[in-house]
Coordinates of all heavy atoms in Angstrom, one line a residue:
M4 N 19.8 -32.9 29.5 CA 19.4 -31.9 30.4 C 20.5 -30.9 30.5 O 21.7 -31.2 30.7 CB 19.2 -32.6 31.8 CG 18.7 -31.6 32.8 SD 18.0 -32.5 34.3 CE 19.3 -32.3 35.4
Q5 N 20.2 -29.6 30.4 CA 21.1 -28.5 30.4 C 21.0 -27.8 31.7 O 19.9 -27.4 32.1 CB 20.9 -27.6 29.2 CG 21.9 -26.5 29.1 CD 21.6 -25.6 27.9 OE1 20.5 -25.7 27.3 NE2 22.5 -24.7 27.5
S6 N 22.2 -27.6 32.4 CA 22.1 -26.9 33.7 C 22.2 -25.4 33.5 O 23.0 -25.0 32.6 CB 23.3 -27.4 34.6 OG 24.5 -27.0 34.1
E7 N 21.4 -24.7 34.2 CA 21.4 -23.2 34.1 C 22.5 -22.7 35.0 O 22.7 -23.0 36.1 CB 20.1 -22.7 34.6 CG 19.9 -21.2 34.5 CD 18.6 -20.7 34.9 OE1 17.6 -21.5 34.9 OE2 18.5 -19.6 35.3
H8 N 23.3 -21.8 34.4 CA 24.5 -21.2 35.2 C 24.0 -19.9 35.7 O 23.6 -19.0 35.0 CB 25.6 -20.9 34.2 CG 26.8 -20.3 34.9 ND1 27.6 -20.9 35.8 CD2 27.2 -19.0 34.8 CE1 28.5 -20.1 36.2 NE2 28.3 -18.9 35.7
I9 N 24.0 -19.8 37.1 CA 23.6 -18.6 37.8 C 24.8 -17.9 38.4 O 25.6 -18.6 39.1 CB 22.6 -18.8 38.9 CG1 21.3 -19.4 38.3 CG2 22.2 -17.6 39.6 CD1 20.3 -19.8 39.3
D10 N 25.1 -16.7 38.1 CA 26.2 -16.0 38.6 C 25.9 -15.5 40.1 O 24.8 -15.7 40.6 CB 26.7 -14.8 37.8 CG 25.6 -13.7 37.7 OD1 24.5 -13.9 38.2 OD2 25.9 -12.7 37.0
I11 N 26.9 -14.9 40.7 CA 26.8 -14.5 42.1 C 25.6 -13.5 42.3 O 24.9 -13.6 43.3 CB 28.1 -14.0 42.7 CG1 28.0 -14.0 44.2 CG2 28.5 -12.7 42.1 CD1 29.3 -13.8 44.9
V12 N 25.4 -12.6 41.4 CA 24.4 -11.6 41.6 C 23.0 -12.3 41.5 O 22.1 -12.1 42.3 CB 24.5 -10.5 40.5 CG1 23.2 -9.6 40.5 CG2 25.7 -9.7 40.7
G13 N 22.8 -13.2 40.5 CA 21.6 -14.0 40.4 C 21.3 -14.8 41.6 O 20.2 -14.9 42.1
C14 N 22.4 -15.4 42.1 CA 22.3 -16.3 43.3 C 21.9 -15.4 44.5 O 21.0 -15.8 45.3 CB 23.6 -17.0 43.6 SG 23.6 -18.1 45.0
F15 N 22.5 -14.2 44.7 CA 22.2 -13.3 45.8 C 20.7 -12.9 45.7 O 20.0 -12.9 46.7 CB 23.1 -12.1 45.8 CG 22.8 -11.1 46.8 CD1 23.1 -11.2 48.1 CD2 22.2 -9.9 46.4 CE1 22.8 -10.3 49.0 CE2 21.8 -8.9 47.3 CZ 22.1 -9.1 48.6
V16 N 20.3 -12.4 44.6 CA 18.9 -12.0 44.4 C 17.9 -13.1 44.7 O 16.9 -12.9 45.4 CB 18.7 -11.4 43.0 CG1 17.3 -11.1 42.7 CG2 19.5 -10.1 42.8
N17 N 18.2 -14.3 44.2 CA 17.3 -15.4 44.5 C 17.3 -15.8 45.9 O 16.2 -16.1 46.5 CB 17.8 -16.7 43.7 CG 17.5 -16.5 42.2 OD1 16.7 -15.7 41.8 ND2 18.2 -17.3 41.4
L18 N 18.4 -15.7 46.6 CA 18.5 -16.0 48.0 C 17.7 -15.0 48.9 O 16.9 -15.4 49.7 CB 19.9 -16.1 48.5 CG 20.1 -16.4 50.0 CD1 19.7 -17.8 50.3 CD2 21.6 -16.2 50.3
V19 N 17.8 -13.7 48.6 CA 17.1 -12.7 49.3 C 15.6 -12.8 49.0 O 14.8 -12.7 49.9 CB 17.6 -11.3 48.9 CG1 16.7 -10.2 49.5 CG2 19.0 -11.1 49.4
G20 N 15.3 -13.1 47.7 CA 13.9 -13.3 47.4 C 13.2 -14.5 48.1 O 12.1 -14.4 48.6
A21 N 14.0 -15.6 48.2 CA 13.4 -16.7 48.9 C 13.3 -16.5 50.4 O 12.4 -17.0 51.1 CB 14.4 -17.9 48.7
T22 N 14.2 -15.7 51.0 CA 14.2 -15.4 52.4 C 13.1 -14.4 52.8 O 12.4 -14.6 53.7 CB 15.6 -14.8 52.8 OG1 16.6 -15.7 52.5 CG2 15.6 -14.5 54.3
L23 N 13.0 -13.4 52.0 CA 12.0 -12.3 52.3 C 10.6 -12.7 51.8 O 9.6 -12.2 52.4 CB 12.4 -11.0 51.8 CG 13.7 -10.4 52.3 CD1 14.0 -9.1 51.6 CD2 13.6 -10.2 53.8
G24 N 10.5 -13.4 50.7 CA 9.2 -13.7 50.1 C 8.8 -12.6 49.1 O 9.3 -11.5 49.1
L25 N 7.9 -13.0 48.2 CA 7.5 -12.1 47.1 C 6.7 -10.9 47.6 O 6.6 -9.9 46.9 CB 6.7 -12.9 46.1 CG 7.6 -13.9 45.2 CD1 6.7 -14.6 44.3 CD2 8.7 -13.1 44.5
A26 N 6.1 -11.1 48.8 CA 5.3 -9.9 49.3 C 6.2 -8.7 49.6 O 5.8 -7.6 49.4 CB 4.5 -10.4 50.5
V27 N 7.4 -9.0 50.0 CA 8.3 -7.9 50.4 C 9.3 -7.7 49.2 O 9.5 -6.5 48.8 CB 9.1 -8.3 51.6 CG1 10.2 -7.3 51.9 CG2 8.2 -8.5 52.8
F28 N 9.9 -8.7 48.7 CA 10.9 -8.6 47.6 C 10.2 -9.0 46.3 O 10.5 -10.0 45.8 CB 12.1 -9.5 48.0 CG 13.4 -9.1 47.3 CD1 13.9 -7.8 47.4 CD2 14.1 -10.0 46.6 CE1 15.0 -7.5 46.7 CE2 15.3 -9.7 46.0 CZ 15.8 -8.4 46.0
T29 N 9.5 -8.0 45.8 CA 8.7 -8.3 44.5 C 9.6 -8.5 43.3 O 10.8 -8.1 43.4 CB 7.8 -7.1 44.2 OG1 8.6 -5.9 44.0 CG2 6.8 -6.8 45.4
P30 N 9.2 -9.1 42.3 CA 10.0 -9.3 41.1 C 10.5 -7.9 40.6 O 11.7 -7.9 40.1 CB 9.0 -9.9 40.1 CG 8.1 -10.7 40.9 CD 7.9 -9.8 42.2
E31 N 9.7 -6.9 40.7 CA 10.2 -5.5 40.3 C 11.4 -5.1 41.1 O 12.4 -4.6 40.6 CB 9.1 -4.5 40.4 CG 9.5 -3.1 40.1 CD 8.4 -2.1 40.3 OE1 7.4 -2.1 39.5 OE2 8.5 -1.3 41.2
K32 N 11.3 -5.3 42.5 CA 12.5 -5.0 43.4 C 13.7 -5.9 43.1 O 14.8 -5.4 43.1 CB 12.1 -5.1 44.8 CG 11.1 -4.0 45.3 CD 11.9 -2.7 45.4 CE 11.0 -1.6 45.9 NZ 11.6 -0.3 45.8
Q33 N 13.4 -7.1 42.7 CA 14.5 -8.0 42.4 C 15.3 -7.5 41.2 O 16.5 -7.5 41.2 CB 14.0 -9.5 42.1 CG 13.5 -10.1 43.4 CD 12.9 -11.5 43.1 OE1 13.2 -12.1 42.1 NE2 12.1 -12.0 44.0
R34 N 14.5 -7.1 40.2 CA 15.2 -6.6 38.9 C 15.9 -5.3 39.2 O 17.1 -5.1 38.7 CB 14.1 -6.3 37.8 CG 13.7 -7.6 37.1 CD 12.8 -7.3 35.9 NE 11.6 -6.6 36.3 CZ 10.5 -7.2 36.7 NH1 10.4 -8.5 36.9 NH2 9.4 -6.6 37.0
E35 N 15.4 -4.5 40.1 CA 16.0 -3.2 40.5 C 17.4 -3.5 41.2 O 18.4 -2.9 40.9 CB 15.1 -2.4 41.4 CG 15.6 -1.0 41.8 CD 14.6 -0.3 42.7 OE1 13.4 -0.5 42.6 OE2 15.1 0.5 43.5
I36 N 17.3 -4.4 42.2 CA 18.6 -4.7 42.9 C 19.6 -5.4 42.0 O 20.8 -5.1 42.0 CB 18.2 -5.7 44.1 CG1 17.4 -4.9 45.1 CG2 19.5 -6.2 44.7 CD1 18.0 -3.7 45.8
D37 N 19.1 -6.3 41.1 CA 20.0 -7.0 40.2 C 20.7 -5.9 39.3 O 21.9 -5.9 39.1 CB 19.2 -7.9 39.3 CG 20.0 -8.7 38.4 OD1 20.4 -8.2 37.3 OD2 20.3 -9.9 38.7
T38 N 20.0 -5.0 38.8 CA 20.5 -3.9 37.9 C 21.5 -3.0 38.7 O 22.6 -2.7 38.2 CB 19.4 -3.0 37.3 OG1 18.5 -3.9 36.6 CG2 20.0 -1.9 36.5
M39 N 21.2 -2.7 39.9 CA 22.1 -1.8 40.7 C 23.4 -2.5 41.0 O 24.5 -2.0 40.9 CB 21.4 -1.4 42.0 CG 20.3 -0.4 41.9 SD 19.2 -0.1 43.3 CE 20.5 0.3 44.6
L40 N 23.3 -3.8 41.4 CA 24.5 -4.6 41.7 C 25.4 -4.7 40.5 O 26.6 -4.6 40.5 CB 24.2 -6.0 42.3 CG 23.6 -6.0 43.7 CD1 23.1 -7.4 44.0 CD2 24.7 -5.6 44.7
R41 N 24.8 -5.0 39.3 CA 25.6 -5.2 38.1 C 26.2 -3.9 37.6 O 27.3 -3.9 37.1 CB 24.7 -5.8 37.0 CG 24.3 -7.3 37.3 CD 23.5 -7.9 36.3 NE 22.9 -9.1 36.7 CZ 23.6 -10.3 36.8 NH1 24.9 -10.3 36.5 NH2 23.0 -11.4 37.2
T42 N 25.4 -2.8 37.8 CA 26.0 -1.5 37.4 C 27.1 -1.1 38.3 O 28.2 -0.6 37.8 CB 24.8 -0.4 37.5 OG1 23.8 -0.8 36.7 CG2 25.4 1.0 37.1
Q43 N 27.0 -1.2 39.6 CA 28.1 -0.8 40.6 C 29.2 -1.8 40.6 O 30.4 -1.4 40.8 CB 27.5 -0.6 42.0 CG 26.5 0.5 42.0 CD 25.9 0.7 43.4 OE1 26.3 0.0 44.4 NE2 24.9 1.5 43.5
W44 N 29.0 -3.1 40.5 CA 30.1 -4.1 40.7 C 30.4 -4.9 39.4 O 31.4 -5.6 39.4 CB 29.7 -5.1 41.8 CG 29.6 -4.4 43.1 CD1 28.4 -3.9 43.7 CD2 30.6 -4.1 44.0 NE1 28.7 -3.3 44.9 CE2 30.1 -3.4 45.1 CE3 32.0 -4.3 44.0 CZ2 30.8 -3.0 46.2 CZ3 32.8 -3.9 45.0 CH2 32.2 -3.3 46.1
G45 N 29.7 -4.7 38.3 CA 29.9 -5.5 37.1 C 31.4 -5.3 36.6 O 31.9 -4.2 36.5
G46 N 32.0 -6.5 36.3 CA 33.3 -6.5 35.7 C 34.4 -6.4 36.7 O 35.6 -6.5 36.4
Q47 N 34.1 -6.3 38.0 CA 35.1 -6.3 39.1 C 35.3 -7.6 39.7 O 34.3 -8.4 39.8 CB 34.7 -5.2 40.1 CG 34.7 -3.8 39.6 CD 34.4 -2.9 40.8 OE1 34.9 -3.0 41.8 NE2 33.6 -1.8 40.5
E48 N 36.5 -7.9 40.2 CA 36.7 -9.1 41.0 C 36.4 -8.7 42.5 O 36.9 -7.7 43.0 CB 38.2 -9.5 41.0 CG 38.5 -10.1 39.6 CD 39.9 -10.7 39.6 OE1 40.4 -11.2 40.7 OE2 40.5 -10.7 38.5
V49 N 35.5 -9.4 43.1 CA 35.0 -9.1 44.4 C 35.4 -10.2 45.3 O 35.2 -11.4 45.0 CB 33.5 -8.9 44.5 CG1 33.0 -8.6 45.9 CG2 33.1 -7.8 43.5
Y50 N 36.0 -9.9 46.5 CA 36.4 -10.9 47.5 C 35.3 -11.0 48.5 O 34.8 -10.0 49.0 CB 37.7 -10.5 48.2 CG 38.1 -11.4 49.3 CD1 38.6 -12.7 49.0 CD2 37.9 -11.1 50.6 CE1 39.0 -13.6 50.0 CE2 38.2 -11.9 51.6 CZ 38.8 -13.2 51.3 OH 39.1 -14.0 52.4
I51 N 34.9 -12.3 48.7 CA 33.9 -12.5 49.8 C 34.5 -13.4 50.8 O 34.9 -14.6 50.5 CB 32.6 -13.2 49.1 CG1 32.0 -12.2 48.1 CG2 31.6 -13.5 50.2 CD1 30.9 -12.8 47.3
K52 N 34.5 -12.9 52.0 CA 35.1 -13.7 53.1 C 34.2 -15.0 53.3 O 33.0 -14.9 53.1 CB 35.1 -13.0 54.4 CG 36.1 -11.8 54.4 CD 36.1 -11.0 55.6 CE 35.5 -11.4 56.9 NZ 35.6 -10.6 58.0
K53 N 34.9 -16.1 53.7 CA 34.2 -17.3 53.9 C 33.2 -17.3 55.1 O 32.2 -17.9 55.1 CB 35.1 -18.5 54.0 CG 35.8 -18.9 52.8 CD 36.6 -20.1 53.0 CE 37.3 -20.6 51.7 NZ 38.2 -21.7 51.9
S54 N 33.7 -16.6 56.1 CA 32.9 -16.5 57.3 C 33.1 -15.1 58.0 O 34.1 -14.4 57.7 CB 33.2 -17.6 58.3 OG 34.5 -17.5 58.7
D55 N 32.3 -14.9 58.9 CA 32.5 -13.6 59.7 C 33.2 -13.9 61.0 O 32.6 -14.0 62.0 CB 31.1 -13.0 60.0 CG 31.2 -11.6 60.5 OD1 32.2 -10.9 60.2 OD2 30.2 -11.1 61.1
V56 N 34.5 -14.1 60.8 CA 35.4 -14.4 62.0 C 36.0 -13.2 62.5 O 36.6 -12.4 61.8 CB 36.5 -15.4 61.5 CG1 37.5 -15.7 62.6 CG2 35.9 -16.7 61.0
D57 N 36.0 -13.1 63.9 CA 36.8 -12.0 64.5 C 38.2 -12.4 64.6 O 38.6 -13.2 65.4 CB 36.2 -11.8 65.9 CG 36.9 -10.6 66.6 OD1 38.0 -10.2 66.2 OD2 36.4 -10.1 67.6
V58 N 39.0 -12.0 63.6 CA 40.4 -12.4 63.4 C 41.2 -12.2 64.6 O 42.0 -13.1 65.0 CB 41.0 -11.8 62.1 CG1 42.4 -12.2 62.0 CG2 40.2 -12.1 60.9
E59 N 41.1 -11.0 65.2 CA 41.9 -10.7 66.4 C 41.6 -11.6 67.6 O 42.4 -12.1 68.3 CB 41.8 -9.2 66.8 CG 42.8 -8.8 67.8 CD 44.3 -9.1 67.4 OE1 44.6 -8.9 66.2 OE2 45.0 -9.5 68.3
A60 N 40.3 -11.8 67.8 CA 39.9 -12.7 68.9 C 40.3 -14.1 68.7 O 40.7 -14.8 69.6 CB 38.3 -12.6 69.1
R61 N 40.3 -14.6 67.4 CA 40.7 -15.9 67.1 C 42.2 -16.0 67.4 O 42.7 -17.0 68.0 CB 40.5 -16.2 65.7 CG 40.9 -17.6 65.2 CD 40.8 -17.9 63.8 NE 41.6 -17.0 63.0 CZ 41.7 -16.9 61.7 NH1 40.8 -17.6 61.0 NH2 42.5 -16.1 61.1
A62 N 43.0 -15.0 67.0 CA 44.5 -15.0 67.2 C 44.8 -15.1 68.7 O 45.7 -15.8 69.1 CB 45.1 -13.8 66.6
V63 N 44.1 -14.3 69.5 CA 44.3 -14.3 71.0 C 44.0 -15.6 71.5 O 44.8 -16.2 72.4 CB 43.4 -13.2 71.6 CG1 43.4 -13.3 73.1 CG2 43.9 -11.8 71.2
A64 N 42.9 -16.3 71.1 CA 42.5 -17.6 71.6 C 43.6 -18.6 71.2 O 43.9 -19.5 72.1 CB 41.1 -18.0 71.1
I65 N 44.1 -18.6 70.0 CA 45.1 -19.5 69.6 C 46.3 -19.4 70.4 O 46.9 -20.4 70.8 CB 45.3 -19.4 68.0 CG1 44.1 -19.9 67.3 CG2 46.6 -20.2 67.6 CD1 44.1 -19.6 65.8
R66 N 46.8 -18.2 70.5 CA 48.0 -17.9 71.3 C 47.8 -18.4 72.8 O 48.8 -19.0 73.4 CB 48.4 -16.5 71.3 CG 49.0 -16.0 70.0 CD 49.5 -14.6 70.1 NE 49.5 -14.0 68.8 CZ 48.6 -13.0 68.4 NH1 47.7 -12.5 69.2 NH2 48.6 -12.5 67.2
A67 N 46.7 -18.2 73.3 CA 46.4 -18.6 74.7 C 46.4 -20.2 74.8 O 46.8 -20.7 75.8 CB 45.1 -18.1 75.2
K68 N 45.9 -20.8 73.8 CA 45.8 -22.3 73.9 C 47.0 -23.0 73.5 O 47.2 -24.2 73.8 CB 44.6 -22.8 73.0 CG 43.2 -22.4 73.5 CD 42.2 -23.0 72.5 CE 40.8 -22.7 73.0 NZ 39.8 -23.2 72.1
Y69 N 47.9 -22.4 72.7 CA 49.1 -23.0 72.2 C 50.1 -23.4 73.3 O 50.4 -22.5 74.1 CB 49.8 -22.1 71.2 CG 51.0 -22.8 70.5 CD1 50.8 -24.0 69.9 CD2 52.2 -22.1 70.5 CE1 51.9 -24.6 69.2 CE2 53.3 -22.7 69.9 CZ 53.1 -23.9 69.2 OH 54.2 -24.5 68.6
N70 N 50.5 -24.7 73.4 CA 51.4 -25.1 74.4 C 52.7 -25.6 73.9 O 53.5 -26.2 74.6 CB 50.7 -26.2 75.3 CG 50.4 -27.5 74.5 OD1 51.0 -27.7 73.4 ND2 49.6 -28.3 75.0
G71 N 53.0 -25.3 72.6 CA 54.2 -25.8 72.0 C 54.1 -27.1 71.3 O 55.0 -27.5 70.6
R72 N 53.1 -27.9 71.6 CA 52.9 -29.2 71.0 C 51.6 -29.5 70.4 O 51.3 -30.6 69.8 CB 53.2 -30.3 72.1 CG 54.6 -30.3 72.6 CD 54.7 -31.3 73.7 NE 53.8 -31.0 74.8 CZ 54.0 -31.2 76.0 NH1 55.1 -31.9 76.4 NH2 53.2 -30.8 77.0
N73 N 50.7 -28.5 70.4 CA 49.3 -28.8 69.9 C 49.0 -28.0 68.6 O 47.8 -27.6 68.4 CB 48.3 -28.5 71.0 CG 48.4 -27.1 71.5 OD1 49.3 -26.3 71.3 ND2 47.3 -26.6 72.2
R74 N 50.0 -27.7 67.8 CA 49.8 -26.9 66.6 C 48.7 -27.6 65.7 O 47.8 -26.9 65.3 CB 51.1 -26.8 65.8 CG 50.9 -26.2 64.4 CD 52.2 -26.1 63.6 NE 52.9 -27.4 63.5 CZ 52.6 -28.3 62.5 NH1 51.7 -28.1 61.6 NH2 53.3 -29.4 62.5
R75 N 48.8 -28.9 65.4 CA 47.9 -29.5 64.5 C 46.4 -29.5 65.1 O 45.5 -29.2 64.3 CB 48.3 -31.0 64.3 CG 49.5 -31.1 63.4 CD 49.7 -32.5 62.9 NE 50.9 -32.5 62.0 CZ 51.9 -33.3 62.2 NH1 52.0 -34.1 63.2 NH2 52.9 -33.3 61.4
E76 N 46.3 -29.7 66.3 CA 44.9 -29.7 66.9 C 44.3 -28.3 66.8 O 43.1 -28.2 66.4 CB 45.0 -30.1 68.4 CG 45.3 -31.5 68.6 CD 46.8 -31.8 68.7 OE1 47.6 -30.8 68.5 OE2 47.2 -33.0 68.8
L77 N 45.1 -27.3 67.0 CA 44.6 -25.9 66.9 C 44.3 -25.5 65.4 O 43.3 -24.9 65.1 CB 45.6 -24.9 67.5 CG 45.7 -25.0 69.0 CD1 46.8 -24.1 69.5 CD2 44.4 -24.6 69.7
M78 N 45.1 -26.0 64.5 CA 44.9 -25.8 63.1 C 43.5 -26.4 62.7 O 42.8 -25.8 61.9 CB 46.0 -26.4 62.2 CG 47.3 -25.6 62.3 SD 48.7 -26.4 61.6 CE 48.1 -27.0 60.1
V79 N 43.3 -27.6 63.1 CA 42.0 -28.3 62.8 C 40.8 -27.5 63.5 O 39.8 -27.2 62.9 CB 42.0 -29.7 63.3 CG1 40.6 -30.4 63.2 CG2 43.0 -30.5 62.4
E80 N 41.0 -27.2 64.8 CA 39.9 -26.5 65.5 C 39.5 -25.2 64.9 O 38.3 -24.9 64.8 CB 40.4 -26.3 67.0 CG 39.3 -25.6 67.8 CD 39.8 -25.4 69.3 OE1 40.8 -26.0 69.7 OE2 39.1 -24.6 69.9
Y81 N 40.5 -24.5 64.4 CA 40.2 -23.1 63.9 C 40.2 -23.1 62.4 O 40.1 -22.0 61.8 CB 41.2 -22.1 64.4 CG 41.0 -21.8 65.9 CD1 41.7 -22.5 66.9 CD2 40.0 -20.9 66.3 CE1 41.5 -22.3 68.2 CE2 39.7 -20.7 67.7 CZ 40.5 -21.4 68.6 OH 40.2 -21.1 69.9
N82 N 40.4 -24.3 61.7 CA 40.3 -24.4 60.3 C 41.3 -23.4 59.6 O 40.9 -22.6 58.8 CB 38.9 -24.2 59.8 CG 38.7 -24.6 58.3 OD1 39.5 -25.4 57.8 ND2 37.8 -24.0 57.6
I83 N 42.5 -23.5 60.0 CA 43.6 -22.6 59.4 C 44.7 -23.4 58.9 O 44.9 -24.6 59.4 CB 44.1 -21.5 60.4 CG1 44.7 -22.2 61.7 CG2 43.0 -20.5 60.8 CD1 45.3 -21.2 62.6
S84 N 45.5 -22.9 58.0 CA 46.7 -23.5 57.5 C 47.8 -23.4 58.4 O 47.8 -22.6 59.3 CB 47.0 -23.0 56.1 OG 47.5 -21.6 56.3
R85 N 48.9 -24.2 58.1 CA 50.1 -24.1 58.9 C 50.7 -22.7 58.8 O 51.2 -22.1 59.8 CB 51.1 -25.2 58.4 CG 52.4 -25.2 59.2 CD 53.2 -26.3 58.7 NE 54.5 -26.3 59.4 CZ 55.5 -27.1 59.1 NH1 55.4 -28.0 58.2 NH2 56.6 -27.0 59.8
A86 N 50.8 -22.2 57.6 CA 51.3 -20.8 57.4 C 50.5 -19.8 58.2 O 51.1 -18.9 58.8 CB 51.3 -20.5 55.9
Q87 N 49.2 -19.9 58.1 CA 48.4 -19.0 58.9 C 48.6 -19.1 60.4 O 48.7 -18.1 61.1 CB 46.9 -19.2 58.6 CG 46.0 -18.2 59.2 CD 46.2 -16.8 58.7 OE1 46.6 -16.6 57.5 NE2 46.0 -15.8 59.5
F88 N 48.8 -20.3 60.9 CA 49.1 -20.6 62.3 C 50.3 -19.8 62.7 O 50.3 -19.1 63.7 CB 49.2 -22.1 62.5 CG 49.5 -22.4 64.0 CD1 48.5 -22.5 64.9 CD2 50.8 -22.7 64.4 CE1 48.8 -22.8 66.2 CE2 51.1 -22.9 65.7 CZ 50.1 -23.0 66.6
Y89 N 51.4 -20.0 61.9 CA 52.6 -19.3 62.3 C 52.6 -17.8 62.2 O 53.2 -17.1 62.9 CB 53.8 -19.9 61.5 CG 54.2 -21.3 62.1 CD1 54.0 -22.4 61.3 CD2 54.7 -21.4 63.4 CE1 54.4 -23.7 61.9 CE2 55.0 -22.6 63.9 CZ 54.8 -23.8 63.2 OH 55.2 -25.0 63.7
K90 N 51.8 -17.3 61.2 CA 51.6 -15.9 61.1 C 50.9 -15.3 62.4 O 51.2 -14.3 62.9 CB 50.7 -15.5 59.9 CG 51.4 -15.5 58.6 CD 50.5 -15.0 57.5 CE 51.2 -14.9 56.2 NZ 50.3 -14.5 55.1
I91 N 50.0 -16.1 62.9 CA 49.2 -15.7 64.1 C 50.2 -15.7 65.3 O 50.2 -14.8 66.1 CB 48.0 -16.6 64.4 CG1 46.9 -16.4 63.3 CG2 47.5 -16.5 65.8 CD1 45.8 -17.4 63.3
L92 N 51.0 -16.7 65.4 CA 52.0 -16.8 66.5 C 53.0 -15.6 66.4 O 53.4 -15.1 67.5 CB 52.8 -18.1 66.5 CG 52.0 -19.3 67.0 CD1 53.0 -20.5 67.1 CD2 51.4 -19.1 68.3
K93 N 53.4 -15.3 65.2 CA 54.4 -14.2 65.0 C 53.7 -12.9 65.3 O 54.4 -11.9 65.6 CB 54.9 -14.3 63.6 CG 56.0 -13.4 63.3 CD 56.5 -13.6 61.8 CE 57.5 -12.6 61.4 NZ 57.9 -12.8 60.0
G94 N 52.4 -12.8 65.2 CA 51.7 -11.5 65.4 C 51.5 -10.7 64.2 O 51.2 -9.5 64.2
D95 N 51.6 -11.3 63.0 CA 51.3 -10.7 61.7 C 49.8 -10.5 61.5 O 49.0 -11.3 61.8 CB 51.9 -11.4 60.5 CG 53.4 -11.3 60.5 OD1 54.0 -10.5 61.3 OD2 54.1 -12.0 59.7

């Protein structure tokens, strides 16, 4: 059995198609969007954030909750590294 390799553009187009349905996102529209994305972004490295986090609000919350002894708990709660934790405390 051979697995099919789908790149990020193909994955995006399939996800939108599955979400909207073929009545709205017709195969013709899918091909059009696929072509536009590949033309505009093809060959470039694109960074996609893991989540839509309000970085400043998160930093304020971490600083407010930090008591000098709960670094590990806050790192787990906010899913951040030790280096990121100290950057936040420093204000970077």
Side-chain angles (χ1 to χ4, degrees):
M4 184 165 103
Q5 186 178 10
S6 65
E7 184 179 333
H8 178 74
I9 299 177
D10 63 355
I11 194 166
V12 171
C14 183
F15 174 76
V16 170
N17 288 340
L18 180 63
V19 172
T22 302
L23 296 178
L25 291 176
V27 175
F28 201 53
T29 63
E31 179 182 287
K32 288 290 182 189
Q33 290 178 19
R34 283 189 297 277
E35 184 180 330
I36 296 297
D37 185 281
T38 300
M39 288 170 55
L40 286 170
R41 291 181 192 283
T42 300
Q43 292 178 8
W44 294 95
Q47 295 185 38
E48 289 186 30
V49 178
Y50 175 76
I51 299 173
K52 292 178 14 177
K53 287 184 180 180
S54 64
D55 193 20
V56 174
D57 183 345
V58 177
E59 192 54 42
R61 180 186 67 184
V63 168
I65 290 171
R66 286 188 207 106
K68 290 181 178 181
Y69 184 54
N70 65 16
R72 295 179 297 212
N73 60 343
R74 172 183 53 88
R75 286 192 179 125
E76 292 85 1
L77 292 172
M78 287 168 47
V79 169
E80 180 180 343
Y81 290 97
N82 192 26
I83 58 173
S84 69
R85 182 177 176 184
Q87 186 63 33
F88 179 83
Y89 284 114
K90 281 183 178 181
I91 289 168
L92 285 186
K93 188 177 173 184
D95 289 349

